[in-house]
Amino acid sequence: MRQLIAGNWKMNGLTAEAEALAEAIREGVSNAQTPPAADLLLCPPFTAIATVARVLAGSGIAWGAQDCHMSDHGAHTGDVAPGMLRDLGASHVILGHSERRHHHNELDETVREKCVAAMRAGLIPIVCVGESEEQRAAGQEQDVVGWQIKGSLPDGFAGIVAYEPVWAIGTGRSATEEDVAAMHGFVRAELIRQLGEDAGAAIPVLYGGSVNPDNAGAILSLPEVGGALVGGASLKAHDFLSIIHHAETA
Ligand code: 13P
């Protein structure tokens, strides 16, 4: 399975900045001596998706969004339907990111409903799971992540899971290789237990949380790591391109 290196730009980038960043990444990829060994995805804020789509069209780099609503249309002021994202050529949507779970009180059930709507619209959901610092300190990381998988993934889930320990997000404190290996092994076992052997084995599991050019090589070479969901380092073309290169050599 090819790895996926995905950039989550979060709430960063006016359209001119998004355009310049997407152009720099497209150029860096096309000027590299070898084509990328990984699949590539950029997830800008909603307001920059159309701009980034125009830059990336035909480049082989996919684009996506960071959230969507669970309805196809209707009276939902401020929300964006999955079909609207498909309309912009988006292929993926990040769902249940810890920043949405914590700041918007998104529950597993909400994430599951969004997942159903995203798949119905033809989007590939990237469902984020991960324990908080307190939960890890209490030895509850596997319980928490197991419940999030059970609650957030609908029957027939055909998407991607991202393991993002909350304490590693934006802190510069990535999980250790041992922690990543242990949790990815656990996530794989849970996916197989909950979805069945074939479906559970087919789901890529990304790691996210302070991935940078220095730690990407080690993280991406661990078993059961299907790629990376990159926040801060995806806002710098040079860093993102260097992370991509590690996927190539992993
Ligand atoms: P950082 O890479 O900035 O830690 O963010 C990770 C993340 O939240 C990706 O979704």
Side-chain angles (χ1 to χ4, degrees):
M1 211 188 298
R2 271 164 75 85
Q3 292 189 316
L4 172 68
I5 308 295
N8 174 7
W9 292 2
K10 307 193 179 183
M11 198 173 73
N12 294 291
L14 302 179
T15 51
E17 293 159 338
E19 183 175 30
L21 179 55
E23 273 172 1
I25 292 169
R26 186 199 62 196
E27 290 298 307
V29 168
S30 72
N31 292 339
Q33 281 168 354
T34 49
D39 293 330
L40 307 177
L41 170 71
L42 304 184
C43 296
F46 289 131
T47 48
I49 294 177
T51 302
V52 168
R54 190 169 38 72
V55 173
L56 297 183
S59 69
I61 305 174
W63 57 93
Q66 303 167 17
D67 182 38
C68 69
H69 198 264
M70 67 280 278
S71 302
D72 295 332
H73 54 82
H76 300 289
T77 303
D79 283 313
V80 175
M84 296 169 177
L85 301 174
R86 280 299 293 149
D87 191 37
L88 295 175
S91 53
H92 294 68
V93 60
I94 298 169
L95 295 174
H97 191 281
S98 68
E99 286 149 17
R100 296 208 60 85
R101 289 180 186 266
H102 295 144
H103 304 153
H104 293 266
N105 299 321
E106 282 198 7
L107 305 173
D108 289 336
E109 190 184 335
T110 322
V111 178
R112 190 172 67 236
E113 288 176 19
K114 290 182 172 191
C115 234
V116 170
M119 290 194 299
R120 194 170 52 227
L123 291 166
I124 299 170
I126 302 176
V127 175
C128 302
V129 297
E131 79 286 358
S132 66
E133 182 140 45
E134 298 72 39
Q135 289 163 334
R136 176 163 280 266
Q140 296 168 342
E141 62 273 15
Q142 296 198 347
D143 289 345
V144 170
V145 169
W147 278 107
Q148 286 176 332
I149 292 172
K150 188 171 170 48
S152 306
L153 304 190
D155 290 343
F157 178 73
I160 296 169
V161 169
Y163 169 62
E164 300 204 305
V166 177
W167 46 271
I169 295 177
T171 57
R173 216 181 106 211
S174 162
T176 63
E177 289 166 43
E178 292 72 28
D179 289 343
V180 176
M183 287 307 287
H184 278 246
F186 171 76
V187 169
R188 175 66 63 211
E190 273 302 288
L191 290 172
I192 288 173
R193 199 174 67 78
Q194 295 187 22
L195 299 173
E197 181 66 48
D198 290 347
I203 293 171
V205 183
L206 312 184
Y207 169 78
S210 295
V211 175
N212 61 44
D214 294 333
N215 62 22
I219 291 171
L220 290 169
S221 64
L222 294 170
E224 300 296 356
V225 173
L229 186 51
V230 187
S234 74
L235 295 171
K236 294 186 199 123
H238 178 270
D239 286 2
F240 192 64
L241 290 164
S242 138
I243 292 170
I244 294 168
H245 175 72
H246 283 295
E248 292 172 5
T249 54

